[in-house]
Amino acid sequence: MDNPGLGITLRAAMTESCTTRHSVCPHDCPSTCALEVEVLNNTRIGVVHGAAANTYTAGVVCTKVARYAERIHHPDRLTHPLLRIGPRGSTQFRRISWDEALDRIAGAFTGIAAKHGAEAVWPFYYAGTMGLVQRDGINRLRHVMKYSRQKLTICTTLAEVGWWAGVGQSRGVDPREMAKSDLIVMWGGNPVATQVNVMTHVTRARKQRGATFVVVDPYRSPTAAVADIHLAPRPGTDGALACAVMHVAFRDGYADRAYMAHYADCPAELEAHLRSRGPAWAAAITGLPVAQIEEFARLYGTTQRSFIRAGYGFARSRNGSANMHAVSCLPTVTGAWQYEGGGALWSNRGMYHWDKTLIEGLDARNLLIREMDMSRIGSILTGDRTELGDGPQVHGLLIQNQNPLTVCPDSNRVRRGFSRPDLFVATHEQFMTETARWSDIVLPATMFLEHDDLYQAGGHTHIQIGQKLIDPPGECRSNHETLQALASRLGAKHPGFDMTAMQMIDATLRASGWPDAETVLRDRWVDGARSFEDAHFLTGFETHDKRFHFAPDWKVLGDRRGIMPRLPDHMASIDDVVPERPFRLMTSPSRSYLNTSFTEMASSRKREGRPMVMLHANDAERLGIADGDKVKLGNDRGEVVLHARIVEGLQPGVLISESIWPSAAFEGGIGINALTSDDPGWPGGGAVFHDTAVWLRPMTAEMRLAAD
């Protein structure tokens, strides 16, 4: 084993006189901010700052992470293992030892595997931490023990597949080039709330170059509120808008035919296809005025240094992949990829060429073992054979970095699945989340400053290591340590279980062709940015023919490809309105929460106030709803009570509920995801949180209906 004392040696070099330490934000945000943390002593931190020396973070960090001391030292943190002694969903637990907790988990999983087969155990995780060791190590236990595999669809699949369709890989232009752009289009994202560093580079471009900032979002988000131009299409109609912009480019001479002849697959076919998809056609679908579409198309077509920053909104709709593909076509039609400050980016996470064999136990993976869609956990736990196939029902769950009872779609169905008496659930958590309350065993987890981990970025190009800076409270253990202890009891053998987290970080860096851990720690980060030519695909796209694909081969991108459009188009597969459900609901991210992280902080709750639904004044007047009134939303899956907030900047018939509030914050004790469907998006799956048709009623009307 290389450098067995590496972690001890590196930490020994940290002197007590140093009160500011380098770290990395672990949360599910593409910014992966480089941090400077005020360390007060071995157990406490002060204020968290963005690292000024990092050229992407540039000294900026979101307010929720800046006050991380409130979270890491929260009095409600879990600090000891717990055994449930009351009904599921209650807070009736008793403290037990780690040995007892681990013995119970290992015994349950061993018994389940003996009775039903190993596939009846399903380790379940996602991105509560973005660190590669602490997040992905659960797969090592999965693969070695032959437990069911997990399809990671809940966040990015729809957007990623749409980007791959044309570009061929998850990478794009260096986001720092936004500062050199003359037009920045934030399409389907709200970086003021979700990746604040984007705004640093947008601000530079506006100040230094007079750049125009355009936001495409169905509502006036905090980002849209500071834009020069805000286009608010109906949810799920982005593909129609993109097609109209390309139509104008061909019609008015903005299309770069020479560029397309060299770099694209079928520009002549695309041009012919788009002749019938002009601004009037798009206006009927998007609800945007023809004049606004024409203005935006002209601005985009006449600006060489135009940068599209595509957001995660594309990953929330049934037609999200088709919409992302249509938008990604724009810089190829105009040739914007050729210019500094031009082109597009969704994520750079495909550029890191990781060898995660040690972390994930890939050498033990068996692709014949079933893989189930995490977004459909409710359907899976209630016996849906679409995902279970011919295998056994799931009888055991090990959950890390996820809170499925609140976060996953169709949460009433998820609850029904978790209520099964034959289901054993062990959850490793930092707080008593809703999922923890419905578990049999709850284990206390460390936070990012209490363990070592390795981080990549999606929103920029840096590799970083976050070291353990303080000791955890009570008996908290890291994911890696917990998996090591379970592996020992289950008889799971793999070299990764015998290594410290820092040893695994070092070995993974070396195996992947990056500098070793000592070098990364010394230099604070490694910038993996590609050359200008490579980042702008001037050496060819990441497709088999090195061309951008206007006509993707959808069959290699997902198994639900039957209705995918051959060329960019509006794909009418959304949960569209009907008289019984006349509103389209989006559950957009809030500024103070990140999924269900930070919801335990009093400062975050104070800023967010209470669960609300935003609606247009015309809808409010028609229904007799005043600002602040209590209203009920519902569909076939459930009902939710919120307070109304009448706003401008969205279209009639569109509702926005910024989330994700804990279910306990809602009247009736069920949160907003009671309304969302676990239908998989096209063609490769994906949760459809922004694609929900609902009815809306004032509570006075509800009371009348109840009386009748």
Side-chain angles (χ1 to χ4, degrees):
M1 186 182 306
D2 291 340
N3 298 332
L6 179 64
I8 296 173
T9 302
L10 291 169
R11 275 199 286 275
M14 297 164 55
T15 64
E16 287 296 320
S17 61
C18 180
T19 58
T20 300
R21 309 281 201 231
H22 172 63
S23 190
V24 190
C25 180
H27 287 285
D28 190 6
C29 165
S31 292
T32 319
C33 293
L35 303 179
E36 300 289 351
V37 182
E38 295 178 1
V39 178
L40 305 182
N41 54 44
N42 289 338
T43 60
R44 298 196 68 83
I45 67 165
V47 179
V48 177
H49 307 273
N54 184 280
T55 54
Y56 182 76
T57 301
V60 176
V61 72
C62 68
T63 55
K64 52 186 175 282
V65 170
R67 54 179 194 267
Y68 214 88
E70 181 183 352
R71 185 169 196 268
I72 201 166
H73 303 310
H74 199 290
D76 293 340
R77 274 194 71 177
L78 295 171
T79 55
H80 304 284
L82 301 170
L83 172 68
R84 181 174 58 81
I85 56 175
R88 289 190 188 272
S90 72
T91 55
Q92 298 177 43
F93 290 83
R94 71 171 174 85
R95 179 176 168 179
I96 58 176
S97 68
W98 267 97
D99 282 340
E100 181 181 351
L102 293 167
D103 287 345
R104 284 178 177 268
I105 296 169
F109 289 173
T110 299
I112 289 167
K115 184 175 181 179
H116 303 286
E119 287 185 336
V121 178
W122 194 26
F124 192 88
Y125 79 110
Y126 200 59
T129 177
M130 296 296 284
L132 303 186
V133 172
Q134 306 294 347
R135 181 190 68 191
D136 300 334
I138 194 171
N139 289 321
R140 187 169 62 255
L141 185 69
R142 179 197 316 277
H143 297 323
V144 172
M145 295 303 298
K146 310 305 179 188
Y147 296 151
S148 284
R149 296 186 297 133
Q150 180 181 344
K151 189 175 183 181
L152 300 174
T153 60
I154 199 164
C155 187
T156 64
T157 297
L158 283 156
E160 187 162 53
V161 167
W163 185 265
W164 286 347
V167 174
Q169 189 185 62
S170 290
R171 67 176 183 87
V173 176
D174 190 322
R176 290 169 290 192
E177 282 193 36
M178 284 187 287
K180 300 178 181 179
S181 302
D182 294 320
L183 170 64
I184 301 169
V185 182
M186 186 69 224
W187 202 318
N190 180 15
V192 165
T194 59
Q195 44 177 317
V196 67
N197 307 86
V198 168
M199 300 307 296
T200 299
H201 304 284
V202 170
T203 300
R204 287 178 179 172
R206 296 172 92 176
K207 287 183 176 180
Q208 297 172 9
R209 302 185 60 84
T212 302
F213 182 43
V214 177
V215 172
V216 183
D217 196 307
Y219 82 115
R220 188 168 295 165
S221 67
T223 306
V226 300
D228 300 299
I229 300 171
H230 173 213
L231 288 84
R234 294 175 181 133
T237 64
D238 306 81
L241 176 59
C243 285
V245 174
M246 290 186 283
H247 168 98
V248 172
F250 282 111
R251 183 195 71 191
D252 293 352
Y254 308 141
D256 190 330
R257 299 178 189 280
Y259 175 84
M260 285 187 285
H262 187 71
Y263 287 102
D265 59 345
C266 56
E269 185 181 355
L270 176 67
E271 182 175 6
H273 166 74
L274 292 172
R275 286 195 185 109
S276 62
R277 288 159 174 79
W281 168 84
I285 296 170
T286 64
L288 297 172
V290 170
Q292 189 178 42
I293 297 173
E294 289 274 9
E295 178 189 9
F296 173 54
R298 182 169 55 254
L299 176 64
Y300 185 79
T302 57
T303 307
Q304 288 184 335
R305 294 185 178 218
S306 57
F307 193 112
I308 295 176
R309 186 67 176 88
Y312 281 53
F314 292 99
R316 308 288 185 262
S317 181
R318 287 168 177 78
N319 61 0
S321 292
N323 289 339
M324 172 66 91
H325 173 247
V327 170
S328 73
C329 292
L330 288 167
T332 303
V333 169
T334 65
W337 293 110
Q338 302 168 85
Y339 308 107
E340 187 176 32
L345 173 67
W346 172 64
S347 173
N348 268 321
R349 69 185 192 186
M351 60 171 280
Y352 294 102
H353 49 79
W354 292 116
D355 180 344
K356 293 203 285 185
T357 301
L358 275 173
I359 293 174
E360 296 198 37
L362 297 179
D363 49 350
R365 180 176 57 177
N366 182 351
L367 297 179
L368 296 178
I369 292 174
R370 70 178 176 189
E371 182 181 44
M372 296 185 293
D373 187 339
M374 67 176 298
S375 299
R376 309 198 70 236
I377 185 172
S379 292
I380 290 165
L381 294 181
T382 53
D384 187 341
R385 283 288 157 189
T386 305
E387 299 295 334
L388 291 169
D390 296 329
Q393 174 59 281
V394 172
H395 290 276
L397 286 169
L398 172 64
I399 300 173
Q400 290 184 326
N401 313 321
Q402 241 280 356
N403 183 12
L405 273 156
T406 304
V407 171
C408 288
D410 200 353
S411 50
N412 278 320
R413 183 177 294 186
V414 178
R415 281 192 181 188
R416 290 196 296 272
F418 270 76
S419 68
R420 284 174 32 214
D422 62 330
L423 178 68
F424 175 85
V425 183
T427 296
H428 192 198
E429 251 296 352
Q430 298 162 348
F431 293 93
M432 185 58 75
T433 63
E434 186 173 5
T435 300
R437 289 198 305 273
W438 283 67
S439 301
D440 298 285
I441 300 286
V442 179
L443 304 173
T446 52
M447 292 190 185
F448 76 106
L449 297 174
E450 299 162 352
H451 57 238
D452 297 324
D453 217 338
L454 173 65
Y455 299 89
Q456 67 176 39
H460 56 89
T461 58
H462 293 96
I463 294 170
Q464 302 175 80
I465 295 174
Q467 285 188 278
K468 177 181 177 182
L469 302 185
I470 60 173
D471 294 328
E475 298 180 75
C476 294
R477 293 189 187 180
S478 71
N479 290 355
H480 178 62
E481 293 168 323
T482 301
L483 293 167
Q484 285 179 307
L486 277 175
S488 175
R489 285 165 169 81
L490 290 165
K493 303 295 184 183
H494 191 275
F497 292 125
D498 299 322
M499 304 172 75
T500 67
M502 188 60 77
Q503 289 167 347
M504 192 173 295
I505 290 167
D506 185 62
T508 298
L509 285 165
R510 293 170 183 266
S512 305
W514 296 108
D516 62 15
E518 189 168 7
T519 301
V520 176
L521 285 165
R522 184 194 66 219
D523 296 342
R524 299 178 59 183
W525 45 72
V526 171
D527 190 346
R530 300 201 178 199
S531 67
F532 176 88
E533 291 76 13
D534 201 13
H536 286 254
F537 302 105
L538 300 182
T539 56
F541 289 87
E542 296 283 356
T543 56
H544 67 89
D545 56 3
K546 298 296 183 181
R547 291 175 176 266
F548 183 92
H549 287 179
F550 293 134
D553 186 2
W554 291 110
K555 68 177 180 292
V556 303
L557 296 169
D559 55 9
R560 303 184 74 245
R561 58 188 179 272
I563 65 170
M564 297 303 296
R566 170 173 163 74
L567 293 163
D569 213 336
H570 171 63
M571 181 178 170
S573 62
I574 58 177
D575 187 16
D576 213 347
V577 298
V578 294
E580 299 80 24
R581 297 183 301 280
F583 290 93
R584 292 267 291 155
L585 171 68
M586 290 175 51
T587 57
S588 303
S590 66
R591 188 167 187 172
S592 301
Y593 303 150
L594 204 168
N595 299 320
T596 56
S597 295
F598 301 98
T599 59
E600 66 286 329
M601 288 168 54
S603 59
S604 293
R605 294 197 303 271
K606 181 179 179 180
R607 181 166 189 165
E608 293 302 317
R610 61 189 179 187
M612 293 182 293
V613 60
M614 303 179 198
L615 71 159
H616 193 278
N618 291 358
D619 293 324
E621 182 179 6
R622 176 171 53 84
L623 294 170
I625 296 171
D627 197 72
D629 279 359
K630 192 180 291 186
V631 298
K632 183 176 283 188
L633 278 64
N635 55 24
D636 295 341
R637 287 176 288 277
E639 299 178 354
V640 176
V641 176
L642 308 99
H643 288 82
R645 180 181 167 196
I646 301 171
V647 300
E648 297 179 345
L650 49 66
Q651 295 193 36
V654 175
L655 304 176
I656 307 293
S657 180
E658 292 184 334
S659 56
I660 303 174
W661 283 87
S663 291
F666 291 80
E667 185 175 308
I670 189 69
I672 197 69
N673 280 321
L675 306 177
T676 57
S677 170
D678 72 352
D679 289 351
W682 301 84
V688 294
F689 296 111
H690 294 179
D691 191 357
T692 305
V694 297
W695 48 257
L696 168 69
R697 299 172 190 150
M699 289 298 285
T700 52
E702 279 292 305
M703 288 186 284
R704 286 196 297 270
L705 285 172
D708 293 341

